[in-house]
Amino acid sequence: MFSLKTAFYLTLISLLEGLSAQNTLLPYEVVFNWKQLDYNFPNQNIKKLLINSKQFIPENNIITGLRVYKDRVFLTVPRWREGVPSTLNYVCLNGTTDISSSPLLIPYPSWEFQELGNCSSFQYVQSMEIDQFGRMWVIDAGRVNIWTEPLNLCPPKLLLIDMEMDEVIKRYEFPDSVVGHTTNFLNDIVVACRDTKEDCFAYITDTYDSRLVVYSLKNDQSWFVHHETMVADEGYNHTYFGTKLHFRMNINGIALDPRFERVYYRSFSSFGLYSYPVSLLNEAKNGERLNDSQVFSHGPLPASLVDCYGLSRILYYGQLANNSIAYFNTTSGRSAESSEVALAQNDMELQIVDTLAFDNEGYLYLTANRLHRYNTRTLNFDEVNFRVIRLFIGNKSYMYSSTDGTV
Ligand SMILES: *[C@@H]1O[C@H](CO)[C@@H](O)[C@H](O)[C@H]1NC(C)=O
Ligand SMILES: *[C@@H]1O[C@H](CO)[C@@H](O)[C@H](O)[C@H]1NC(C)=O
Ligand SMILES: *[C@@H]1O[C@H](CO)[C@@H](O)[C@H](O)[C@H]1NC(C)=O
Ligand SMILES: *[C@@H]1O[C@H](CO)[C@@H](O)[C@H](O)[C@H]1NC(C)=O
Ligand SMILES: *[C@@H]1O[C@H](CO)[C@@H](O)[C@H](O)[C@H]1NC(C)=O
Ligand SMILES: *[C@@H]1O[C@H](CO)[C@@H](O)[C@H](O)[C@H]1NC(C)=O
Ligand SMILES: *[C@@H]1O[C@H](CO)[C@@H](O)[C@H](O)[C@H]1NC(C)=O
């Protein structure tokens, strides 16, 4: 019988469940925010010239990629459309987090490195990784305006930058047989350095050609693998704030567990999260298809862009459907969806969480960028559109396991 008493208990239980669900939410800080992006131009005349010649079209500039090193926050501005003067940039973090702060983006490592058509410089950088030896690994697609009229200006490449000297210490050009010079969209990168600075592999997603690219620093060689799980699901689409997101995106997000055992990947336009053994990727031949019996599905997971792995074997991601940050405990033995825990939620400030990254102080940083409005050219520049946000997690990136010996 359904008595008043059970009804009360049921209410109490759901109330408690509601409370415990809320308890997982952490406070977060908006570190920087911008209505529109602007750069640290050498002077105002140069800025005017670049605007007049359409080399700077402010409304085409959006922040996506993110990494934090010491007191600098590195941000990429994708060259999806014309008019992006600098694709890799940083802003300074200084102890005080003034939420009204909208700093000018400073080109990294210099303005010279942002020059279109100069193949020693960056053409289009979406993502980078910073290893435990203080080196930034930067992927450059070599192509620009890939959402409008693509220009295949340079071969795709990987550059390593020494973060103390801010100097390029290594340059690797991908052969066309590994990364298509006129077709690629190099999107995201993770790096595994085992015992030495040389014993490193990078795992890179190529969204347009649905490939996972592997690079060995020791052998200075690269190859790609492919599998159907890297391809967007036919007919998958997102409705966000009542509007359809018109992009069909193959493999984009990638993450690496702190034991360097498995690479996790997913495509934005798909329900699945998958992983594959690192040992097999490291020995694969160029063009190889993954072995079906080794592709592990972690079950359906709501849409997100770039994922991020913490040292405690927790996979963090932005949850598109409800404007939140959530995590999945990969050691729990449960499917990703059933063990999802939300950490932060805000319908205004967390509109499209793009990239997540740890600093070395225990903070998880993220960019939120209203990509849906950029996509439809409906950003309102009287409002804040782009944010760098952080929340205290008390852990570090997957990268530091070999250094700390914790896992
Ligand atoms: C804070 O960072 C800005 C650049 O974003 C810099 O101009 C300023 O000097 C810094 N202040 C301190 C106290 O470090
Ligand atoms: C090309 O870019 C490199 C690296 O930024 C720079 O050192 C060089 O001067 C540039 N070359 C030309 C011809 O501008
Ligand atoms: C988009 O997804 C909805 C369900 O979420 C489906 O009904 C619709 O047919 C899809 N549209 C296309 C063009 O695939
Ligand atoms: C795939 O993996 C299974 C299990 O390890 C192995 O038996 C099989 O030979 C592999 N197939 C190929 C084509 O390598
Ligand atoms: C991060 O997680 C690891 C593994 O669970 C743990 O040993 C370590 O103490 C954590 N680090 C911090 C700073 O809490
Ligand atoms: C977010 O949405 C998922 C379903 O997509 C749901 O399971 C989860 O409870 C939601 N989380 C929050 C905090 O609203
Ligand atoms: C993840 O799951 C493992 C195994 O169940 C558990 O020991 C660990 O505490 C969990 N970590 C978190 C952060 O929930």
Side-chain angles (χ1 to χ4, degrees):
M1 276 309 305
F2 198 83
S3 71
L4 212 66
K5 209 168 153 192
T6 39
F8 172 73
Y9 280 136
L10 285 174
T11 313
L12 189 66
I13 287 166
S14 57
L15 207 79
L16 288 173
E17 274 168 1
L19 283 177
S20 72
Q22 269 187 357
N23 279 348
T24 67
L25 294 183
L26 299 172
Y28 64 82
E29 304 165 58
V30 178
V31 185
F32 302 115
N33 65 39
W34 295 268
K35 292 177 176 172
Q36 193 162 59
L37 299 179
D38 196 0
Y39 298 82
N40 182 30
F41 292 102
N43 60 57
Q44 289 304 305
N45 278 343
I46 290 183
K47 179 176 166 180
K48 260 186 225 149
L49 277 172
L50 292 177
I51 288 179
N52 289 340
S53 60
K54 300 214 174 341
Q55 292 176 79
F56 180 31
I57 305 175
E59 61 270 28
N60 286 355
N61 289 250
I62 180 174
I63 57 167
T64 56
L66 162 83
R67 282 297 180 265
V68 183
Y69 187 75
K70 296 193 174 166
D71 59 353
R72 290 186 287 183
V73 175
F74 293 86
L75 297 165
T76 64
V77 181
R79 280 181 165 146
W80 287 331
R81 293 181 180 145
E82 296 74 3
V84 175
S86 174
T87 184
L88 180 60
N89 308 278
Y90 70 93
V91 290
C92 293
L93 255 184
N94 20 22
T96 61
T97 49
D98 167 10
I99 68 154
S100 64
S101 168
S102 310
L104 297 174
L105 301 186
I106 305 168
Y108 189 75
S110 63
W111 271 112
E112 288 69 45
F113 261 89
Q114 314 301 327
E115 191 185 353
L116 285 172
N118 173 347
C119 295
S120 301
S121 297
F122 295 128
Q123 303 306 301
Y124 158 30
V125 175
Q126 178 80 46
S127 300
M128 59 282 182
E129 182 57 293
I130 299 171
D131 70 22
Q132 68 269 44
F133 302 107
R135 298 174 301 185
M136 182 186 276
W137 298 58
V138 188
I139 42 174
D140 176 5
R143 316 174 61 221
V144 300
N145 311 339
I146 64 168
W147 285 16
T148 55
E149 287 167 40
L151 289 175
N152 305 308
L153 297 174
C154 294
K157 62 182 181 283
L158 174 69
L159 292 190
L160 264 67
I161 301 177
D162 176 323
M163 303 292 296
E164 297 302 328
M165 310 296 290
D166 295 331
E167 268 172 20
V168 174
I169 50 174
K170 167 86 196 160
R171 179 179 194 278
Y172 175 80
E173 211 171 88
F174 291 99
D176 190 49
S177 58
V178 178
V179 179
H181 289 196
T182 59
T183 51
N184 89 82
F185 174 1
L186 291 185
N187 193 318
D188 195 13
I189 175 171
V190 288
V191 172
C193 293
R194 283 195 161 74
D195 302 320
T196 66
K197 282 175 92 154
E198 287 73 41
D199 188 13
C200 303
F201 286 86
Y203 307 93
I204 299 158
T205 57
D206 178 350
T207 299
Y208 279 0
D209 288 332
S210 334
R211 293 175 179 182
L212 203 164
V213 177
V214 184
Y215 168 73
S216 158
L217 180 63
K218 202 197 272 171
N219 299 333
D220 201 26
Q221 264 187 347
S222 63
W223 54 94
F224 81 89
V225 296
H226 68 102
H227 195 260
E228 304 83 274
T229 52
M230 297 178 187
V231 181
D233 291 346
E234 207 58 59
Y236 189 83
N237 59 58
H238 304 283
T239 301
Y240 190 67
F241 285 108
T243 308
K244 273 212 180 108
L245 289 185
H246 288 283
F247 30 70
R248 192 169 171 278
M249 293 247 275
N250 303 313
I251 181 170
N252 61 304
I254 191 165
L256 182 60
D257 80 276
R259 295 179 182 177
F260 301 157
E261 284 172 354
R262 301 191 78 82
V263 165
Y264 290 71
Y265 62 90
R266 59 146 93 210
S267 60
F268 179 65
S269 314
S270 142
F271 292 102
L273 171 70
Y274 302 93
S275 69
Y276 198 73
V278 161
S279 58
L280 297 182
L281 290 174
N282 292 356
E283 284 158 17
K285 303 242 175 336
N286 191 40
E288 197 172 298
R289 182 178 168 277
L290 299 186
N291 183 334
D292 291 324
S293 68
Q294 306 286 336
V295 175
F296 191 81
S297 166
H298 299 271
L301 200 59
S304 90
L305 286 158
V306 172
D307 309 319
C308 162
Y309 222 124
L311 194 48
S312 53
R313 305 185 73 191
I314 300 289
L315 188 74
Y316 298 88
Y317 50 90
Q319 232 260 43
L320 195 79
N322 42 25
N323 305 308
S324 62
I325 314 294
Y327 73 75
F328 153 47
N329 183 347
T330 61
T331 59
S332 67
R334 294 163 65 198
S335 76
E337 195 177 42
S338 72
S339 57
E340 176 175 286
V341 178
L343 288 179
Q345 198 281 330
N346 190 299
D347 284 339
M348 183 59 87
E349 296 184 334
L350 296 175
Q351 281 182 25
I352 307 219
V353 171
D354 193 297
T355 303
L356 300 148
F358 277 98
D359 68 1
N360 280 344
E361 313 293 326
Y363 283 97
L364 180 65
Y365 277 74
L366 63 98
T367 50
N369 65 11
R370 297 194 168 176
L371 178 60
H372 59 303
R373 285 170 164 260
Y374 176 91
N375 190 36
T376 51
R377 297 182 183 273
T378 52
L379 285 168
N380 175 352
F381 295 106
D382 295 329
E383 294 173 3
V384 170
N385 291 301
F386 317 116
R387 291 177 174 86
V388 172
I389 286 173
R390 71 177 184 186
L391 48 160
F392 191 77
I393 301 280
N395 220 288
K396 287 203 267 189
S397 130
Y398 68 92
M399 185 79 69
Y400 287 87
S401 55
S402 59
T403 327
D404 289 5
T406 40
V407 283

